[in-house]
Amino acid sequence: MRLLFRGTYPLTLALLLFCWGQTCTAQVRQKNRGKEKSAAPAQTQRVEVESSSFDDKHLVHALPDSGLLVVSTKRHAVVGKHAFVLTKYNKALTPVWQTSHGHTSNQALMFLAAERKTLYLLFYTLQDRKALLYQVNNANGTVHFTEHTLPSSSITLKKMQALAGQVFLTGLEKENLSLLHLNPSQKEIKTLPVTLGLEENVGEFRVDTLTHAVELVIAESNGTRSRLQIKRLNAMGEVKGTYFVQPQMEFRSENTLQGARLTPGDTLSKVLVGSFGHRSYSFSKGIFTSNLAGHIRYFDFSQLKHFFEYLPPRKERRMKAKFARQEAKGKPLLLRPRLLLHTVLPHPQGYAVIGEIYYPKYKRGAFHLYRNTSAPDEQSTDQEVIEGYRFTHAVVCVFDYEGNLLWDNSFRLKNEIYPIPVPILEAGVSPGGNLTLVYPEGEYVRYKTLRPNISISDEEKVEVRLQSDSEKLYASNEEGIVHWYGNHFVAYGFQRIKPAQGEDRTVFYLQNMTFE
């Protein structure tokens, strides 16, 4: 009997794997049975530039005037001077202007920010802690160059924003985040007297073009209670408003306010949208909204209609029933997700909020108690270390202008592990209020267009089209997609293409995608 089992083991294993695969396929089909499918995007304009991923790098950036900027640099720059090229495209993906500028190999492009009339490119030199600012005229591509000195050689620049010709940066030094002001007319970059704390405490650093203010949202805690500080600065870095939001008295011991973002618009009508935890600063229990006066509304994940739709049907039902039983007992059932919030988007009904749900993935590693690792009597113990972050799905909530929840939906992600928690999705709102979420997957683009209270399939993807149906794609790499304007996106990357006749070509492409 044992010999028979050994002899049939490969066949048995193959049969088990086949059954498992059939079960998974059946679950996916069952999950999406009866659901509407998002319409495929229109792909009407395409640009190709002869380019190789071995030699070149291209940065694609959407502009406030619905233009598109591509910054092209050499990947393996030799010592000495070389050039970077700026190309602006219009809505038809037709070049508007192109300029070339020399710089040296020790200058790295750090950030790009844009206003309607001016684009800002910040390069950084490692050797002499210099910041090089290129101010580019958005109409014709002419450049004004200035050189600036950082206040400390140990500052690591993290983010950049621009307002009314002034540049603002966040910089990390000894685990503390500072706010820096770069005035193009002054040599020295100044540190502003604004306390930011740790990098993870800053949930928002953005420019509101409607009220002409730099906005910061900072999470604060005394160890037992939490609050959010909102600071608004003018173009010269002067504080024009400070607000504090904290849980109401009856919720202070239970609900912990975490990272948050501000809606655009007039100061008095702004809404704060963020996540909150149950006595936790790391794990999220739901989403809250608040005005600047501190009137907070809480929305637990379990209250969202579509939060668990990423699960197989049976597991979704079990999870909802489990939450209902615990709520009936007055004991909250706590998951351990984290929420990565996107910038709040204007919506015809108010505001759209996109958050990506992820979980830290741990592995056990040796933790050495002593520095001398070669000592034979060294003691060690196992401890958990973070291996990466697993992203499961995204939630979308649409709120009215007072912060009331109107509808929600969700989008299942690839369930992959990433080394750092950075946004996977790009999002856009159509004039009719549909929300489209997209992300690249090789030569394909995964997408889902969400509408109020409708369960929609998570399985839709589209291949980036080529110039002709007779062409064949041999290889693609460094694929990406950016939200352009409205319900328009631009996919990009390198492709090696075989035409029906003639030689192969290797290109960097831009391909528009317009969703319903």
Side-chain angles (χ1 to χ4, degrees):
M1 192 69 169
R2 185 177 300 169
L3 289 174
L4 178 62
F5 177 79
R6 286 179 179 174
T8 59
Y9 178 74
L11 181 60
T12 304
L13 179 61
L15 182 60
L16 288 172
L17 290 174
F18 174 77
C19 293
W20 176 80
Q22 291 294 102
T23 302
C24 291
T25 303
Q27 285 182 341
V28 170
R29 287 174 180 168
Q30 181 186 0
K31 183 70 181 173
N32 290 282
R33 185 178 298 149
K35 291 186 176 181
E36 293 190 17
K37 293 185 177 182
S38 303
Q43 302 185 59
T44 52
Q45 287 100 26
R46 179 181 171 94
V47 170
E48 290 185 358
V49 178
E50 185 176 344
S51 182
S52 163
S53 61
F54 180 79
D55 299 319
D56 306 317
K57 292 190 295 184
H58 303 280
L59 170 68
V60 181
H61 189 89
L63 301 177
D65 63 353
S66 302
L68 199 71
L69 181 72
V70 177
V71 183
S72 304
T73 59
K74 289 298 179 183
R75 190 175 294 275
H76 304 289
V78 295
V79 176
K81 288 192 174 183
H82 53 99
F84 67 91
V85 178
L86 306 177
T87 309
K88 181 183 176 180
Y89 296 89
N90 60 18
K91 286 184 177 181
L93 286 184
T94 302
V96 178
W97 50 255
Q98 184 178 82
T99 58
S100 179
H101 309 276
H103 70 136
T104 59
S105 57
N106 68 335
Q107 298 169 358
L109 176 60
M110 295 286 291
F111 306 110
L112 194 160
E115 297 187 278
R116 282 207 166 265
K117 294 183 178 180
T118 309
L119 318 178
Y120 303 86
L121 281 74
L122 190 76
F123 288 79
Y124 181 69
T125 59
L126 296 175
Q127 290 86 347
D128 52 8
R129 65 184 182 93
K130 298 288 186 183
L132 312 176
L133 182 67
Y134 290 80
Q135 298 178 73
V136 185
N137 186 309
N138 192 24
N140 55 29
T142 57
V143 166
H144 178 64
F145 167 80
T146 54
E147 188 175 291
H148 307 271
T149 304
L150 288 165
S152 170
S153 59
S154 59
I155 288 181
T156 301
L157 299 178
K158 304 301 292 186
K159 293 181 180 180
M160 183 175 87
Q161 297 287 349
L163 174 65
Q166 303 296 307
V167 174
F168 295 87
L169 302 149
T170 55
L172 191 64
E173 185 175 23
K174 297 179 181 179
E175 297 186 353
N176 289 315
L177 201 66
S178 301
L179 184 62
L180 310 176
H181 177 208
L182 189 162
N183 185 333
S185 64
Q186 297 177 0
K187 182 81 172 177
E188 300 291 329
I189 299 174
K190 295 180 180 179
T191 302
L192 295 176
V194 177
T195 302
L196 302 182
L198 301 177
E199 183 179 6
E200 57 266 26
N201 292 345
V202 180
E204 182 83 278
F205 170 49
R206 67 184 290 270
V207 163
D208 190 331
T209 55
L210 296 176
T211 57
H212 305 288
V214 178
E215 298 181 330
L216 294 146
V217 180
I218 306 156
E220 300 177 331
S221 169
N222 62 3
T224 57
R225 293 180 180 177
S226 65
R227 73 175 184 182
L228 295 171
Q229 180 184 170
I230 300 98
K231 280 197 177 295
R232 309 187 73 245
L233 295 80
N234 63 19
M236 297 313 297
E238 301 164 338
V239 177
K240 58 187 293 187
T242 302
Y243 308 85
F244 295 95
V245 172
Q246 60 184 339
Q248 301 93 322
M249 188 63 70
E250 64 269 28
F251 296 113
R252 282 183 190 172
S253 62
E254 300 293 325
N255 291 344
T256 302
L257 302 186
Q258 300 169 344
R261 293 183 176 272
L262 278 171
T263 61
D266 182 76
T267 306
L268 297 178
S269 64
K270 279 185 177 294
V271 175
L272 190 67
V273 183
S275 59
F276 70 96
H278 181 76
R279 303 178 184 176
S280 170
Y281 293 94
S282 299
F283 303 106
S284 302
K285 184 172 181 279
I287 294 173
F288 75 88
T289 63
S290 174
N291 57 18
L292 296 187
H295 179 65
I296 304 176
R297 297 176 176 89
Y298 300 97
F299 307 94
D300 286 18
F301 290 143
S302 61
Q303 297 172 349
L304 302 181
K305 254 183 103 172
H306 301 269
F307 183 82
F308 295 109
E309 275 195 358
Y310 74 99
L311 296 171
R314 185 178 298 175
K315 194 169 184 180
E316 179 186 354
R317 290 193 296 269
R318 286 203 307 263
M319 187 64 73
K320 287 182 176 179
K322 194 172 182 180
F323 264 93
R325 288 195 301 270
Q326 291 299 111
E327 288 177 0
K329 297 176 183 178
K331 298 178 181 179
L333 180 64
L334 301 178
L335 304 174
R336 295 177 70 82
R338 299 185 183 186
L339 184 67
L340 195 160
L341 282 173
H342 288 228
T343 299
V344 178
L345 300 177
H347 187 274
Q349 294 175 286
Y351 307 107
V353 177
I354 297 96
E356 299 183 35
I357 300 290
Y358 68 99
Y359 298 82
K361 179 172 173 37
Y362 297 94
K363 66 178 179 180
R364 299 199 69 81
F367 171 67
H368 299 287
L369 300 179
Y370 304 120
R371 291 184 180 177
N372 185 4
T373 57
S374 62
D377 59 345
E378 176 202 11
Q379 297 183 27
S380 68
T381 184
D382 285 338
Q383 73 168 9
E384 288 187 332
V385 295
I386 292 180
E387 181 182 8
Y389 300 88
R390 183 183 296 279
F391 282 70
T392 57
H393 64 295
V395 292
V396 172
C397 295
V398 174
F399 299 96
D400 66 17
Y401 293 103
E402 283 72 46
N404 300 301
L405 179 63
L406 300 178
W407 58 274
D408 71 89
N409 220 307
S410 65
F411 184 21
R412 188 177 72 247
L413 301 176
K414 289 186 291 185
N415 200 31
E416 289 191 356
I417 297 173
Y418 298 85
I420 56 175
V422 295
I424 299 170
L425 295 168
E426 289 282 318
V429 180
S430 74
N434 295 339
L435 273 96
T436 297
L437 306 180
V438 301
Y439 65 91
E441 187 179 71
E443 65 269 29
Y444 294 91
V445 170
R446 288 271 182 189
Y447 65 93
K448 185 173 182 178
T449 299
L450 307 175
R451 301 190 296 280
N453 304 316
I454 298 176
S455 293
I456 300 170
S457 169
D458 289 302
E459 301 303 314
E460 307 312 309
K461 64 179 181 179
V462 63
E463 191 170 10
V464 177
R465 76 166 182 83
L466 303 178
Q467 284 187 345
S468 170
D469 293 338
S470 64
E471 296 179 331
K472 293 183 179 180
L473 179 65
Y474 274 1
S476 67
N477 61 356
E478 297 189 23
E479 302 89 354
I481 189 166
V482 295
H483 175 244
W484 195 1
Y485 63 95
N487 53 338
H488 300 269
F489 296 76
V490 170
Y492 61 88
F494 292 93
Q495 290 180 334
R496 184 164 182 81
I497 300 167
K498 173 68 175 176
Q501 296 180 344
E503 297 182 353
D504 297 357
R505 67 182 187 274
T506 302
V507 300
F508 181 80
Y509 71 88
L510 301 171
Q511 175 63 62
N512 83 311
M513 290 192 174
T514 302
F515 293 84
E516 286 188 345

